Amino acid sequence: SERLEGLTVALLERKRKKREQDAELLAHYYRVLNDRPEELARYDAALAAAFTRVIADGVQAGEFAIADVNKAVRVIRHAIGVFFDPEYE
């Protein structure tokens, strides 16, 4: 779906811009998330919810033939997760 691609590209682009604008601030942000797991969990839940909505809408519209939306969300997040890992360069 265009929405799924758009969401993924927007997230990756946002991280790229943050890294280019202030890599030190981005590194500090990751340290804060590491020290505050509840914030990381909140961000993770929001991200999962966004992907779930887009994929569920795609299933309902007939764009995707997916029996388990939550499993699809996990697969997609696992596939793009490396790009969000602060250790990934």
Side-chain angles (χ1 to χ4, degrees):
S1 132
E2 288 181 20
R3 285 181 58 206
L4 180 57
E5 181 180 354
L7 175 60
T8 304
V9 169
L11 290 169
L12 294 172
E13 183 66 15
R14 185 173 73 184
K15 180 179 179 191
R16 185 190 64 76
K17 283 182 181 180
K18 285 180 181 180
R19 182 177 303 250
E20 286 176 357
Q21 291 172 351
D22 195 339
E24 187 176 332
L25 181 62
L26 184 61
H28 178 70
Y29 170 75
Y30 282 124
R31 284 192 302 276
V32 168
L33 285 181
N34 206 25
D35 292 343
R36 299 190 63 189
E38 69 280 359
E39 292 300 320
L40 180 57
R42 187 185 341 240
Y43 173 78
D44 193 55
L47 195 57
F51 276 108
T52 299
R53 278 190 307 275
V54 169
I55 292 171
D57 289 350
V59 169
Q60 189 173 17
E63 294 179 76
F64 305 124
I66 296 172
D68 187 338
V69 171
N70 291 326
K71 186 183 240 179
V73 169
R74 287 192 305 274
V75 168
I76 289 170
R77 293 192 60 216
H78 179 73
I80 67 170
V82 67
F83 299 108
F84 294 95
D85 185 337
E87 300 299 316
Y88 178 79
E89 290 296 329

